Amino acid sequence: MKLSEIQIENLYKFTRQHYVYHYDVQTELVDHLANDIEQIWVEHPNLSFEDARDKSFKKFGIFGFMDVIEAKQKQMNKRYWKIIWRFTKEWFTVPKVVTTMLIFLGFFFAFQIPYSEYLFLATLLILITFEMIAVYRIRKEHKQKEKKEEKIFLLEAMLGTTKNGFTGVTFINLFNFIHLTRFNFSSLNIYWLILISSVITFLCIIFYVSNYVLPQKAQELLQETYPEYKMVKNL
């Protein structure tokens, strides 16, 4: 016996009630539950849909769908960072490498100025502020979609948030380290200045890619990752 569309929709609601919020993860679980329920009916044809559903759900253990959610998040995290790295690499090829070198040289020479650590701290504060605003704006958009019960994909929820503000956290740690240790850049030798300038340049590129490039290319990336994305969004 096959599940009806109403029963399939019930499974989607069931997964959401058990804290599965992203449509692609819901779909994967619904497919698994539906196939398992149909197999249960072969063995127990008189079992109701609800009882068969609950019987299937119990097979996931005491943590329910949490293991599946975590596995899917790890899988998507890898894809997310591959996407970031794809666009970051562009900044080390012609013609963008010229801009990258200018950013690097800007930091390199700025750090040789007396009290440059204050200029650096101010730059960090500005970048942290911009990232927090961008992350807040994107999360607010997702909250509004959730209220409207729009379908949100896992990668869609991640785009623009840099894995919970990764660059922002890194910037804050750097800010605290320099502020608390009274770090003096102008006293460092050239090799340390090259290393620090390279790291900061790289972080700035990741910051730009994650907060500006990825949100602009969100539709393209989502259709690339999920073949069904355009069809689902048009429903």
Side-chain angles (χ1 to χ4, degrees), residues 4-223:
S4 66
E5 288 191 14
I6 293 175
Q7 289 169 332
I8 293 292
E9 187 61 33
N10 178 279
L11 290 179
Y12 273 103
K13 291 179 180 177
F14 182 79
T15 58
R16 188 171 181 83
Q17 288 167 358
H18 288 82
Y19 313 108
V20 184
Y21 300 111
H22 301 113
Y23 182 73
D24 49 323
V25 186
Q26 288 176 351
T27 299
E28 187 173 311
L29 287 168
V30 167
D31 286 343
H32 177 87
L33 289 168
N35 289 330
D36 195 43
I37 289 170
E38 289 171 2
Q39 185 58 42
I40 290 171
W41 276 340
V42 171
E43 300 172 5
H44 306 281
N46 295 324
L47 208 61
S48 69
F49 166 74
E50 288 76 13
D51 288 340
R53 180 197 64 196
D54 293 342
K55 185 179 179 67
S56 179
F57 178 61
K58 286 178 181 177
K59 295 178 182 179
F60 285 89
I62 59 173
F63 295 109
F65 298 133
M66 292 308 297
D67 289 341
V68 176
I69 294 170
E70 287 179 11
K72 199 69 179 175
Q73 285 176 335
K74 287 179 182 178
Q75 177 188 343
M76 199 53 67
N77 283 342
K78 290 179 181 178
R79 184 172 185 85
Y80 176 73
W81 284 105
K82 282 181 181 178
I83 291 171
I84 285 186
W85 178 236
R86 187 213 307 181
F87 289 102
T88 299
K89 285 192 296 185
E90 293 179 0
W91 289 84
F92 298 93
T93 58
V94 177
K96 289 184 178 179
V97 70
V98 177
T99 303
T100 302
M101 286 301 301
L102 290 174
I103 295 171
F104 166 80
L105 291 172
F107 283 119
F108 179 75
F109 288 115
F111 289 155
Q112 298 179 56
I113 301 171
Y115 304 110
S116 59
E117 58 271 19
Y118 294 107
L119 173 63
F120 179 68
L121 290 174
T123 302
L124 284 182
L125 276 174
I126 292 170
L127 291 175
I128 290 168
T129 302
F130 272 106
E131 176 162 86
M132 291 302 103
I133 291 172
V135 170
Y136 172 77
R137 177 177 52 79
I138 290 169
R139 286 181 176 169
K140 186 177 180 181
E141 290 175 1
H142 290 161
K143 290 283 187 183
Q144 290 173 344
K145 287 182 179 180
E146 286 179 11
K147 287 181 180 179
K148 295 177 182 178
E149 296 187 353
E150 292 184 23
K151 296 177 176 66
I152 301 175
F153 290 74
L154 181 55
L155 182 61
E156 184 180 6
M158 295 172 67
L159 288 176
T161 59
T162 329
K163 195 58 181 70
N164 298 322
F166 168 80
T167 50
V169 171
T170 304
F171 287 147
I172 290 170
N173 289 335
L174 285 171
F175 180 93
N176 290 334
F177 173 76
I178 294 165
H179 180 68
L180 295 174
T181 60
R182 305 294 180 182
F183 202 77
N184 186 0
F185 287 108
S186 59
S187 65
L188 295 174
N189 63 47
I190 190 170
Y191 300 107
W192 276 108
L193 288 174
I194 290 173
L195 176 62
I196 293 172
S197 299
S198 298
V199 170
I200 299 304
T201 300
F202 185 69
L203 286 174
C204 286
I205 292 171
I206 291 180
F207 168 85
Y208 179 77
V209 167
S210 61
N211 288 288
Y212 295 97
V213 176
L214 296 194
Q216 290 175 1
K217 294 184 175 290
Q219 297 297 314
E220 174 188 331
L221 292 169
L222 289 166
Q223 289 180 38

